Amino acid sequence: MAEAGSAAGGYLAAARAFYDAAADVPALGACCAQRNDLHLPGLAVPQAMEALAFSCGTTVHPAELSDAPTALYIGVGGGLEALQFAWFSRRPGGVIAVDSAPRMRQAAQDNLAAAARLNPWFDPAFVRVLAGDALALPVPDASVDLVAQNCLFNIFEPADLRRALAEAARVLRPGGRLMMSDPIAERDIPGHLRRDDRLRAICLSGAQRFEAYLAEIAAAGFGVIEVRSRKPYRVLDHMEYGLDADLKLDALDTVSRKVAPLADSSEVDVYTGRRAVYVGSLDRLVLDGIEFVRHQPQPVSDRMAHRLQARAEHDVLLTPPTWRHAPDAFAAETHA
Ligand SMILES: C[S@@+](CC[C@H](N)C(=O)[O-])C[C@H]1O[C@@H](n2cnc3c(N)ncnc32)[C@H](O)[C@@H]1O
């Protein structure tokens, strides 16, 4: 396997060099930082780890972590989210963290050692930090319960994004979860910004549109995608970036499942927080395999909402996307 950055031109190597430099001077990466507002009881975060948090949203969704899954975290950065995952699993090797930048890996290890001094429950052996690349993960097939990445995959050009998603699917066990946070763009980002290695590395110019991003996840074998949060991330100023008009980026948090799409559909199910409420005269009604109890809101995928649209005039009330966490919404529909 070619080393990152050598096969696909220089942008991957440039990103690695950028993050090696940012490991020593965190201010360099500050432009792709959004505050991670998750506070877990009994978890004290070292200041140096906090300073190296270069995230979009969060990939740590507590409702997904009650079974203490084995997690593979790609692009460890300063180690904050790896530490948060370890808070749930609390066992040696419960978190495997991969990064391609040597100085960033060293910073993560130093920060995890500092975290152990602050947190009696934490042992640095809970997080195994490995040298590796998102495009060729150093982990066997079907060996982890969940894969997470925050603000890394958006850096990749489309062919590399496909490789990274295929790698995530390869290492996940069937039914496993892919937890991601990335910026998405309200419209296509023009070529002169896409070709700028530095803007790409700092998560400002590689973002895809919502539909294209989800289509890539679906094509990699994830039959259900839940949007856990969508919120403004950054505005690219038209003067500064040579654009016709300002361009808004959102931070999108998703949880995708390595399951087949519904038996009767080749389409993927995307949950954006929509609900359908049956308001007809029966106590219960089964529509497309989903049981609706009169007047009780039922989580539905966007595809299902589309199918129910015809009834929306008389006996079904449909709510718009909330772009919010809807844990296990997909369980409402039956999967093969
Ligand atoms: C924007 S930072 C995000 C760090 C961390 N996920 C966080 O939320 O703070 C991207 C991280 O991915 C690492 N990285 C860059 N290219 C990579 C690649 N091809 N494979 C694995 N890690 C990579 C960088 O070294 C850096 O630590």
Side-chain angles (χ1 to χ4, degrees):
M1 179 60 65
E3 200 188 349
S6 59
Y11 87 94
L12 292 169
R16 188 177 48 209
F18 176 86
Y19 282 103
D20 262 337
D24 296 335
V25 186
L28 279 177
C31 47
C32 69
Q34 289 253 330
R35 264 208 80 75
N36 176 327
D37 54 6
L38 180 68
H39 296 286
L40 295 168
L43 197 167
V45 178
Q47 218 176 3
M49 181 179 267
E50 193 89 62
L52 279 183
F54 300 146
S55 53
C56 299
T58 182
T59 65
V60 186
H61 301 292
E64 302 288 342
L65 300 169
S66 53
D67 57 347
T70 299
L72 173 69
Y73 192 88
I74 310 172
V76 69
L80 175 57
E81 289 202 326
L83 175 64
Q84 290 173 332
F85 278 116
W87 189 91
F88 291 90
S89 55
R90 300 191 182 208
R91 62 186 150 76
V95 181
I96 304 160
V98 168
D99 205 290
S100 60
R103 283 181 3 232
M104 199 54 104
R105 290 196 300 275
Q106 187 56 56
Q109 274 165 327
D110 293 347
N111 292 341
L112 291 165
R117 293 191 289 276
L118 292 177
N119 296 279
W121 60 269
F122 179 67
D123 179 336
F126 291 179
V127 182
R128 266 176 70 208
V129 179
L130 299 181
D133 196 288
L135 308 186
L137 293 169
V139 178
D141 295 0
S143 59
V144 298
D145 302 311
L146 78 83
V147 170
Q149 71 80 25
N150 193 333
C151 237
L152 170 60
F153 282 16
N154 73 94
I155 288 175
F156 297 144
E157 289 179 354
D160 291 330
L161 174 62
R162 264 163 237 147
R163 282 173 67 186
L165 288 168
E167 275 294 90
R170 176 182 70 76
V171 303
L172 273 174
R173 64 162 175 76
R177 292 152 283 184
L178 174 63
M179 333 262 267
M180 306 214 290
S181 183
D182 275 308
I184 51 160
E186 64 176 340
R187 60 179 194 275
D188 288 340
I189 297 181
H192 73 280
L193 299 182
R194 288 193 168 276
R195 287 188 294 274
D196 184 318
D197 289 349
R198 194 186 136 273
L199 289 182
R200 220 172 233 287
I202 60 177
C203 306
L204 285 188
S205 72
Q208 303 206 15
R209 292 166 68 157
F210 176 71
E211 296 79 9
Y213 180 80
L214 295 191
E216 294 288 7
I217 300 173
F222 295 91
V224 172
I225 302 171
E226 291 182 37
V227 175
R228 293 301 168 92
S229 151
R230 178 176 176 166
K231 57 190 180 210
Y233 172 69
R234 189 62 52 95
V235 173
L236 301 184
D237 176 80
H238 68 287
M239 295 286 277
E240 189 178 349
Y241 292 100
L243 296 162
D244 296 340
D246 288 354
L247 195 156
K248 184 164 75 69
L249 304 176
D250 283 347
L252 189 76
D253 293 356
T254 53
V255 177
S256 306
R257 320 244 167 187
K258 186 178 160 182
V259 293
L262 273 178
D264 66 340
S265 167
S266 56
E267 279 177 68
V268 72
D269 280 310
V270 178
Y271 289 85
T272 57
R274 302 193 66 163
R275 300 285 189 276
V277 194
Y278 170 63
V279 292
S281 55
L282 304 171
D283 287 343
R284 285 163 198 277
L285 179 70
V286 176
L287 292 171
D288 280 341
I290 301 181
E291 185 178 55
F292 290 86
V293 179
R294 188 167 181 257
H295 291 168
Q296 288 189 16
Q298 175 78 20
V300 288
S301 65
D302 289 358
R303 187 174 61 84
M304 185 65 185
H306 185 72
R307 283 161 80 153
L308 290 173
Q309 197 64 48
R311 304 185 73 119
E313 294 301 309
H314 51 289
D315 63 359
V316 172
L317 196 149
L318 280 172
T319 64
T322 58
W323 306 114
R324 286 277 182 73
H325 187 188
D328 282 335
F330 91 107
E333 296 184 21
T334 314
H335 278 262

